Amino acid sequence: MRRLVWNELTPKDRFLVRMIRPLSIAETGFVTQLYMPIIGVESFALYQLLVHEVQQVSGAAAESSHRTLMLATSLSLDRLLAARERLEAIGLLEVRRRENTQRDYFYEYVLKPPLTPGEFFADYVLSLMLLNKIENIRFQQLRQQYADPLASQLMQEYSTVENVTKDFHEVFQSLKPSELEVEKGSEREQFLSEMETAYPLADMKSGFEAEVNHPLSVSSLRLYLPDNADAEKVLGGSSMELLYQLCHFYQLDSWGLGQELRDWTLYKQDRSLDADVLRKRLVQRYTDDKLYRNVPADLREEEDWGPGNLPPAGSEAFVRACRLLSPLTLLERVVGGRVSKVFLERAESLVFADGMQPEVVNALLFHTLASMQMELPKAYMETIRDSWKAKRIATVDEAVKQIVERAEQRVQVVDKTKRPKKESAPARRNGRAVLEDKLPASVEWQMSQENQASEAKKGQSIQDYPELQKRLAMLRNRQKGE
């Protein structure tokens, strides 16, 4: 079916072009050598034309009409639109359409810088697309041109690095607070306000960095579905929610997920998606190292945790890792590479079978690895899983609280076992404890009194009792016959 371009764009539609930040000469070369074979000469010429429409000194935007672009590029309106869309898809152009009360359109073209060669070749899709266009010899020449063997050799020979860069306040110590103060209503404050109003600067960002961006797009996924799949059932409701979860867990983009959805065996007789079959397929594809993934660098480089060195529970690095990383990415960083099928299935089951939040799963994985000597015992994980689900743990903060409380209870139990026993051990006979009945308190008091009296009598003699001494003498005289 022929595309009706005039319904989308007309030659009289005006546009404004601006740059998100200035382009360097080197970046212009990146576009020429790396991007042009993919996007074609027409898109490359349009990009260069738009770049030079912006004032290079100030970065101020320029205004024109699409008829001017058609004349400058010798392109028809449909070819011009196709060239622009290739720039959008490759990440070099962002298009915004504005509309006024008279229903007139005004387009805003925001030019973006290209990826660096390292980022470009690291992207699986872009790298293969370039190889398919220019073939092996030219691809090898570009890799050799952008290679940096000296830096790689330096990192290997001098592995210890220390950042000795001076801070701003270490160098400019003589800067006084009075030099930076602008009193309200003063002549200087009025002057600065006039400059802001009369000469607004271009909206460019020096800190903007180009990045690979293949977001999950429903319209893109439709193109990959086979004939026995119903797009309305596959890309809607709970099925679409599952696809988003799988993309986060495995770090897939639209292209990577689309390659998996091509398989016609993933769909049921009613043309809906079989979630269990798709999950098993992704597990096997990862195990066989055939899964097309896009793993971003989500964590700070200074966070030096990894194999054998986990962040403490509740620390900033612990919470950040739980919130930013997918469970699979977290395990890959812990083991220093690809994880085993057992580790993968344990983490995958917690997310998709048990329905736990990814950040809570990350906290559970961290806790289990730290407690069980970098292992993931199934019984231990299931015990904690059931406990957390019963307590409705839904965030990493709640999980950290449970981990800390569990650690405190364990310490208290250890302290009790180390305390000496105050009571004597019970009497034992033939290896068994002999049970003794406890007497009432009154009986025990009477027995103690009698014991005291007997002890006192033991220290007395007959001389202490004259009557008994006199009777004893009489008995002795009778025996003698007196």
Side-chain angles (χ1 to χ4, degrees):
M1 184 178 179
R2 187 174 180 179
R3 184 177 182 181
L4 300 177
V5 181
W6 286 74
N7 292 339
E8 305 178 40
L9 185 68
T10 62
K12 69 175 183 178
D13 289 337
R14 303 193 64 79
F15 69 90
L16 177 145
V17 56
R18 61 182 182 86
M19 302 176 66
I20 201 165
R21 70 166 173 79
L23 294 182
S24 65
I25 298 177
E27 288 175 327
T28 304
F30 299 160
V31 177
T32 305
Q33 294 184 321
L34 303 179
Y35 284 82
M36 188 174 66
I38 300 176
I39 62 179
V41 177
E42 294 181 352
S43 296
F44 173 77
L46 177 60
Y47 183 77
Q48 293 294 334
L49 178 61
L50 294 177
V51 167
H52 289 86
E53 285 290 318
V54 181
Q55 297 185 21
Q56 298 298 315
V57 177
S58 62
E63 180 185 353
S64 185
S65 66
H66 288 86
R67 182 176 183 275
T68 304
L69 285 182
M70 294 170 61
L71 295 175
T73 58
S74 298
L75 296 176
S76 59
L77 188 61
D78 57 341
R79 292 171 61 188
L80 180 66
L81 181 58
R84 192 196 77 183
E85 290 177 344
R86 285 192 291 270
L87 294 176
E88 300 170 24
I90 208 69
L92 294 176
L93 181 65
E94 181 177 331
V95 180
R96 303 170 184 171
R97 188 172 69 178
R98 299 177 180 270
E99 184 179 357
N100 58 13
T101 55
Q102 287 77 30
R103 304 296 299 275
D104 295 328
Y105 291 138
F106 198 101
Y107 290 84
E108 184 179 4
Y109 294 155
V110 183
L111 295 170
K112 294 183 176 182
L115 298 171
T116 63
E119 295 169 334
F120 185 93
F121 286 110
D123 185 75
Y124 186 84
V125 178
L126 296 179
S127 181
L128 279 186
M129 290 179 67
L130 179 63
L131 177 60
N132 294 334
K133 291 290 185 180
I134 63 178
E135 298 185 349
N136 295 358
I137 297 179
R138 178 57 179 166
F139 189 86
Q140 181 180 355
Q141 292 174 349
L142 291 177
R143 287 300 301 256
Q144 183 177 2
Q145 176 181 345
Y146 292 116
D148 191 2
L150 181 60
S152 178
Q153 181 180 358
L154 180 66
M155 293 175 61
Q156 296 177 0
E157 295 181 0
Y158 300 88
S159 57
T160 303
V161 182
E162 180 184 2
N163 192 341
V164 295
T165 306
K166 293 292 184 180
D167 185 71
F168 177 84
H169 295 285
E170 292 184 71
V171 179
F172 298 97
Q173 299 179 1
S174 60
L175 191 63
K176 301 178 181 179
S178 59
E179 299 179 37
L180 302 177
E181 293 180 356
V182 178
E183 297 183 2
K184 189 174 182 179
S186 63
E187 182 178 353
R188 173 166 292 188
E189 194 270 340
Q190 295 178 1
F191 173 77
L192 292 175
S193 179
E194 291 177 359
M195 293 299 100
E196 291 287 339
T197 305
Y199 306 103
L201 299 178
D203 187 16
M204 294 194 298
K205 302 175 183 178
S206 60
F208 178 82
E209 297 181 359
E211 60 181 0
V212 179
N213 185 19
H214 305 303
L216 187 61
S217 171
V218 177
S219 59
S220 300
L221 293 179
R222 290 178 182 270
L223 303 176
Y224 299 103
L225 298 181
D227 295 336
N228 64 323
D230 187 350
E232 298 298 329
K233 294 181 179 180
V234 176
L235 304 178
S238 59
S239 180
M240 192 65 201
E241 182 180 356
L242 173 66
L243 295 180
Y244 274 108
Q245 292 177 343
L246 290 171
C247 285
H248 176 261
F249 185 87
Y250 289 99
Q251 295 297 294
L252 302 174
D253 54 22
S254 293
W255 188 84
L257 181 60
Q259 302 308 308
E260 308 304 326
L261 295 179
R262 287 178 180 271
D263 189 353
W264 64 272
T265 61
L266 298 178
Y267 305 95
K268 303 177 182 178
Q269 293 183 353
D270 60 353
R271 305 180 66 189
S272 63
L273 179 64
D274 193 328
D276 294 334
V277 176
L278 177 59
R279 285 176 50 197
K280 292 179 181 178
R281 173 184 172 85
L282 292 179
V283 170
Q284 190 61 44
R285 293 275 290 177
Y286 176 87
T287 305
D288 298 338
D289 196 14
K290 296 181 179 180
L291 198 61
Y292 304 105
R293 303 174 62 213
N294 179 26
V295 182
D298 289 326
L299 293 181
R300 302 175 183 174
E301 295 181 356
E302 60 266 22
E303 292 183 355
D304 54 348
W305 66 269
N309 183 24
L310 301 181
S315 63
E316 183 181 355
F318 182 97
V319 176
R320 184 183 300 109
C322 290
R323 289 176 175 170
L324 295 182
L325 296 182
S326 73
L328 178 57
T329 308
L330 182 142
L331 289 177
E332 287 178 332
R333 179 156 182 174
V334 169
V335 303
R338 298 181 59 80
V339 302
S340 64
K341 187 175 182 179
V342 175
F343 272 35
L344 171 61
E345 290 179 340
R346 299 274 166 84
E348 197 265 357
S349 178
L350 291 174
V351 176
F352 299 102
D354 301 322
M356 299 180 68
Q357 294 295 327
E359 63 181 55
V360 179
V361 173
N362 288 337
L364 175 56
L365 294 174
F366 265 145
H367 175 61
T368 306
L369 291 168
S371 304
M372 306 303 293
Q373 300 179 352
M374 306 303 289
E375 296 182 0
L376 295 178
K378 184 178 181 181
Y380 184 85
M381 293 183 63
E382 290 178 349
T383 301
I384 301 179
R385 175 204 65 189
D386 294 342
S387 175
W388 287 10
K389 291 181 68 174
K391 297 176 182 178
R392 297 183 179 181
I393 303 300
T395 63
V396 63
D397 296 329
E398 296 174 350
V400 168
K401 183 179 179 180
Q402 292 295 319
I403 294 174
V404 173
E405 291 179 355
R406 184 181 179 90
E408 293 177 351
Q409 293 175 359
R410 192 181 301 111
V411 171
Q412 293 176 0
V413 171
V414 173
D415 291 342
K416 288 182 179 180
T417 57
K418 292 182 179 180
R419 293 176 185 173
K421 297 181 179 180
K422 297 182 179 180
E423 300 179 357
S424 59
R428 306 184 70 86
R429 182 180 301 166
N430 297 329
R432 297 181 180 179
V434 178
L435 300 179
E436 297 180 355
D437 294 334
K438 189 174 182 181
L439 298 175
S442 59
V443 177
E444 290 182 350
W445 180 84
Q446 181 66 28
M447 294 177 64
S448 65
Q449 293 296 322
E450 293 177 356
N451 291 335
Q452 292 177 4
S454 62
E455 292 294 333
K457 290 180 180 180
K458 289 180 180 179
Q460 296 177 353
S461 64
I462 194 171
Q463 295 178 357
D464 297 330
Y465 299 91
E467 295 292 335
L468 292 177
Q469 186 178 4
K470 185 176 179 180
R471 290 183 180 181
L472 180 60
M474 290 174 62
L475 290 173
R476 288 176 179 177
N477 293 333
R478 287 179 182 178
Q479 291 178 356
K480 292 179 180 180
E482 295 181 357

